[in-house]
C-alpha cells in the first residue's frame, strides 16, 4: 500500500534545509495545520452555500445567483461580509454571558471535529486512535450550546427551539453511535485512517456501503438530523418558531450559527465518505493503475499525484452527498417533532441494534469479508 506523503516531516525537513533550527521548524509547523483547517473549513462553507443557492434554484426552475461574480460565486463572500459588519444586538432581558457563549459552544466542537478527517494516508491533522469516538463526543456538545442560546435569549420561540434541539439530539445520537460501532467492529479500529485503509483492497467493491447498507442509511438520516437539515430542521422551523434558538441573534453571533450549520453539513458528508465510501481511495485501486502504466509507487512525483487524487476523491464524494442533502431539502416535507422522536426511538434504534448484531454474526461467520 502506498504510504503517502508525510506532510509534517516534509515541511520540517524543508524548513531545516533553509538553516532554521529544528526546534524553530517544529514551532512553525504547530499552528500551520490549524490555520489550514480553518481556511479549508471556511472555503468548504462558502462552496456549500453557493451550491445551496444554485441547486435550490434548479430544483425550483429558477436561475439563481449569477451577477455577483462569475456564476454568482461572490454571493457567499457578500453574505459573510454583511454578517461581519452588521450590528450585534443583545436583548435587554437576555442573559448576556450565556447569550454570548452559546454560539461559541455550538461552532467550536464542529471545527475541532475536522482534526480527525483524513484526506489521504498522512494528510490528516491528528490521527487519533479513537478518532471516531472523539467525533461522537464532540458532536454531543453542540446541542448544549443550542439549548443555552435558546434559554439565554429570554424568548419563547428561542426556548422552544433550544428544547427541540436537545430532544432531537437524544433521538439521533444513539442510532448514530450504533452505526459507527458496526463500522469500528468491521475495521477493528476507531481510527478514521484505519477505517479507510480497511476499504482499500477491492476498489469500489471493498467500500463499506456494500457491507453496511443499513448502517449507511441510519448514519445518513442521523447526520441530516444532527445538521438540522430538512426534513429535520425542527429547532429552527421558520413557519412555527420564527428562527428557533437564533431568533434574537444578529451580526457575528448569528454568523457563527450560520457557519456551524454548513460546516457540520460538510463534515457529515466527509465522514460518510470516510466511513462508507472508501475515503480517499478511487473506485479503481491506484496500485492497479500504476501497475498498468509500469510506474513505481515510490516515485516522489507519483506520491504527489496520489495525494492530489486522494484529496480530490474525498472532496468529490463529500460534495456529492452535500448535493443530495440540498436536493432532499426541496423534495421532502418537514416532519413533526413527535414523528422525529418516533423515527429515532422506535425505528432507527431497533434497526441499529439489529444491524450491530448482524455485523457481529457475519464477522464470525465470514471473517474474510467482514474484517475478521
Amino acid at each position: 500500500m502506498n504510504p503517502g506523503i508525510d506532510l509534517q516531516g516534509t515541511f520540517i525537513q524543508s524548513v531545516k534545509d533553509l538553516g532554521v533550527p529544528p526546534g524553530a521548524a517544529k514551532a512553525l509547523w504547530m499552528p500551520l495545520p490549524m490555520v489550514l483547517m480553518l481556511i479549508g473549513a471556511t472555503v468548504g462553507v462558502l462552496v456549500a452555500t453557493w451550491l445551496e443557492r444554485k441547486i435550490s434554484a434548479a430544483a425550483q426552475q429558477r436561475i439563481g445567483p449569477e451577477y455577483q461574480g462569475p456564476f454568482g460565486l461572490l454571493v457567499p463572500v457578500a453574505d459573510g461580509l454583511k454578517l461581519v459588519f452588521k450590528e450585534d444586538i443583545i436583548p435587554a432581558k437576555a442573559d448576556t454571558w450565556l447569550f454570548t457563549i452559546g454560539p461559541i459552544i455550538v461552532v467550536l466542537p464542529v471545527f475541532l471535529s475536522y482534526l480527525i478527517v483524513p484526506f489521504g494516508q498522512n494528510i490528516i491533522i491528528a490521527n487519533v486512535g479513537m478518532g471516531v469516538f472523539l467525533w461522537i463526543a464532540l458532536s454531543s456538545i453542540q446541542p448544549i450550546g443550542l439549548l443555552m442560546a435558546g434559554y439565554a435569549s429570554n424568548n419563547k420561540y428561542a426556548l422552544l427551539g433550544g428544547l427541540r434541539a436537545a430532544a432531537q439530539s437524544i433521538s439521533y445520537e444513539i442510532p448514530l453511535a450504533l452505526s459507527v460501532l458496526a463500522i469500528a467492529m468491521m475495521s477493528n479500529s476507531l481510527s478514521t485512517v484505519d477505517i479507510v485503509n480497511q476499504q482499500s483492497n477491492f476498489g469500489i467493491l471493498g467500500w463499506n456501503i456494500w457491507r453496511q447498507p443499513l448502517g449507511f442509511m441510519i448514519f445518513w438520516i442521523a447526520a441530516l438530523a444532527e445538521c438540522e437539515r430538512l426534513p429535520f430542521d425542527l429547532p429552527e422551523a421558520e413557519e412555527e418558531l420564527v428562527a428557533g434558538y437564533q431568533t434574537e441573534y444578529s451580526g457575528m453571533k448569528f454568523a457563527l450559527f450560520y457557519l456551524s450549520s454548513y460546516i457540520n453539513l460538510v463534515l457529515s458528508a466527509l465522514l460518510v465518505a470516510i466511513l462508507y465510501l472508501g475515503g480517499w481511495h478511487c473506485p479503481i485501486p491506484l496500485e492497479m493503475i500504476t501497475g498498468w502504466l509500469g510506474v513505481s509507487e515510490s516515485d516522489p512525483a507519483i506520491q504527489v499525484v496520489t495525494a492530489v487524487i486522494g484529496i480530490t476523491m474525498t472532496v468529490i464524494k463529500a460534495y456529492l452527498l452535500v448535493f443530495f442533502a440540498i436536493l432532499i431539502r426541496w423534495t421532502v416535507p418537514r416532519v413533526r417533532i413527535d414523528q422525529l422522536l418516533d423515527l429515532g426511538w422506535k425505528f432507527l434504534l431497533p434497526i441499529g441494534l439489529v444491524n450491530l448484531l448482524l455485523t457481529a454474526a457475519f464477522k464470525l461467520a465470514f471473517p474474510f469479508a467482514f474484517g475478521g
Side-chain angles (χ1 to χ4, degrees), residues 134-353:
L134 175 63
W135 167 67
I136 293 175
L138 288 171
S139 66
S140 64
I141 298 174
Q142 188 181 24
I144 299 175
L146 300 178
L147 182 59
M148 186 182 297
Y151 169 78
S153 297
N154 195 27
N155 178 293
K156 61 182 178 181
Y157 299 114
L159 179 59
L160 282 173
L163 292 173
R164 282 188 176 186
Q168 185 166 315
S169 69
I170 296 172
S171 67
Y172 65 71
E173 283 288 352
I174 299 176
L176 183 73
L178 290 174
S179 63
V180 172
L181 187 57
I183 293 291
M185 184 183 297
M186 291 198 327
S187 305
N188 299 314
S189 175
L190 288 169
S191 167
T192 50
V193 174
D194 292 342
I195 290 173
V196 175
N197 285 331
Q198 183 261 342
Q199 306 174 64
S200 64
N201 293 329
F202 307 104
I204 190 173
L205 298 178
W207 294 356
N208 283 332
I209 188 172
W210 311 118
R211 292 174 289 183
Q212 285 288 316
L214 284 177
F216 170 76
M217 293 302 300
I218 294 169
F219 189 94
W220 182 236
I221 293 171
L224 289 177
E226 182 178 7
C227 299
E228 296 169 11
R229 300 286 305 182
L230 271 164
F232 308 120
D233 65 334
L234 295 163
E236 300 176 22
E238 293 88 350
E239 294 85 355
E240 305 170 23
L241 303 180
V242 187
Y245 54 83
Q246 50 193 352
T247 299
E248 297 290 351
Y249 282 88
S250 63
M252 197 59 201
K253 294 186 181 69
F254 178 81
L256 290 179
F257 282 127
Y258 189 78
L259 187 67
S260 68
S261 174
Y262 280 97
I263 290 178
N264 208 5
L265 176 61
V266 176
L267 173 67
S268 298
L270 285 168
L271 288 170
V272 173
I274 289 163
L275 297 177
Y276 295 96
L277 301 179
W280 64 82
H281 292 295
C282 296
I284 301 175
L286 286 176
E287 293 84 355
M288 187 180 298
I289 297 175
T290 54
W292 290 341
L293 298 175
V295 181
S296 174
E297 296 181 20
S298 59
D299 188 344
I302 297 300
Q303 290 187 358
V304 172
V305 172
T306 301
V308 172
I309 292 175
I311 294 172
T312 304
M313 290 304 302
T314 305
V315 172
I316 288 175
K317 293 172 185 177
Y319 275 97
L320 183 63
L321 292 162
V322 170
F323 167 78
F324 284 119
I326 296 171
L327 201 60
I328 288 171
R329 175 180 180 180
W330 299 106
T331 53
V332 180
R334 178 187 296 123
V335 300
R336 300 193 310 265
I337 184 65
D338 62 305
Q339 292 173 329
L340 173 62
L341 296 179
D342 285 344
L343 176 67
W345 289 108
K346 297 180 181 179
F347 186 75
L348 294 182
L349 179 58
I351 291 182
L353 287 170

Side-chain angles (χ1 to χ4, degrees), residues 37-62:
M37 180 188 72
L38 291 173
I39 294 174
T42 304
V43 171
V45 168
L46 295 178
V47 175
T49 55
W50 179 80
L51 282 175
E52 179 93 60
R53 285 180 167 84
K54 297 298 285 188
I55 297 170
S56 300
Q60 299 170 5
Q61 295 184 340
R62 297 184 289 108

